[in-house]
Amino acid sequence: MKEFIQYISSVPFVGIIETAGTISFAISGVRLAAAKEFDWFGAIVVGFVTAIGGGTVRDLLLDVTPFWMLNPIYLICSVIGFIIVMIFSKRLVRLDTPFFIFDTIGLALFVVVGVEKTVQLGYPFWVAIIMGTITGIIGGVIRDIFINEIPLVFRKEIYALACVFGGLVYWVCYNLGFLTVVCEIVASAAIFVVRVLAVKYQWGLPKMKDS
């Protein structure tokens, strides 16, 4: 825990965003694994792949070393997520609202991290938006496959489109000359709001039919 606190105090704001997103996604993964009655090891594995899956795919596509291989903090964050679910299991495992909140927070924060990292590597913004979306959704796709569910992104309300919208908001803020931290906060908030409104008002894309 001391190492974790020292890390938080020494990283830039984007690092704090990435850490918070990692914990949030880990909680969402562990929570679903607990609902499926996985053992402790299985729950930690599901939480970890949920937290690092999107960023790993992004980094491989960008031809850089996956971020979690450079710092053990992401594994530590996954364990913290597991501990949080263990402590508050009655509230987190049985209710859908906590899952939605943590999944949406993780989604919003990771999209911003993905967009920003891609831009810093010199790629155009259309690539950055795609990479931000991949960062946000792939971990959840892997999580749902592990727990034998149809991935959330394919079956419910607006999810991936919220990521694209957040990426566009970041792009607009960036081109208006806003500070990086402002771009991060506004884009994250935009994704969170779109997800909440999509659930509240049941927004979604038309479903494919077989006839």
Side-chain angles (χ1 to χ4, degrees), residues 2-209:
K2 183 178 180 180
E3 180 182 355
F4 177 76
I5 294 173
Q6 290 175 339
Y7 170 78
I8 290 296
S9 64
S10 65
V11 295
F13 186 70
V14 67
I16 296 175
I17 287 179
E18 195 166 32
T19 302
T22 300
I23 294 175
S24 297
F25 261 178
I27 289 174
S28 76
V30 174
R31 181 262 185 190
L32 289 182
K36 291 281 187 173
E37 299 185 347
F38 282 32
D39 63 20
W40 286 17
F41 177 77
I44 292 175
V45 168
V46 173
F48 185 58
V49 298
T50 304
I52 61 94
T56 299
V57 173
R58 174 203 66 212
D59 288 348
L60 291 175
L61 289 173
L62 295 176
D63 196 27
V64 297
T65 303
F67 67 105
W68 59 270
M69 297 175 67
L70 302 174
N71 195 324
I73 191 64
Y74 302 103
L75 178 57
I76 294 172
C77 287
S78 298
V79 174
I80 290 173
F82 171 77
I83 293 172
I84 290 173
V85 175
M86 289 291 294
I87 295 174
F88 301 102
S89 60
K90 291 184 179 180
R91 293 179 178 270
L92 293 176
V93 175
R94 298 178 184 177
L95 301 177
D96 288 333
T97 301
F99 164 71
F100 170 76
I101 291 173
F102 285 113
D103 185 70
T104 302
I105 291 173
L107 180 73
L109 298 179
F110 269 22
V111 170
V112 169
V113 170
V115 170
E116 189 163 300
K117 184 170 186 176
T118 307
V119 170
Q120 290 174 348
L121 289 173
Y123 289 90
F125 248 105
W126 66 270
V127 176
I129 292 172
I130 292 174
M131 290 301 161
T133 302
I134 287 174
T135 307
I137 69 173
I138 295 300
V141 171
I142 298 173
R143 173 199 65 209
D144 292 343
I145 291 173
F146 272 26
I147 65 172
N148 198 30
E149 295 282 352
I150 298 174
L152 179 67
V153 66
F154 299 142
R155 59 184 168 86
K156 278 196 173 184
E157 69 284 332
I158 290 174
Y159 196 87
L161 285 181
C163 302
V164 174
F165 178 72
L168 290 172
V169 169
Y170 189 103
W171 175 75
V172 170
C173 292
Y174 182 88
N175 281 278
L176 289 175
F178 291 171
L179 295 174
T180 299
V181 65
V182 175
C183 296
E184 294 166 351
I185 293 173
V186 173
S188 297
I191 295 168
F192 187 87
V193 169
V194 168
R195 282 281 293 135
V196 170
L197 292 177
V199 171
K200 182 176 182 180
Y201 295 107
Q202 298 183 338
W203 294 345
L205 295 174
K207 295 183 179 180
M208 296 291 295
K209 298 182 180 180

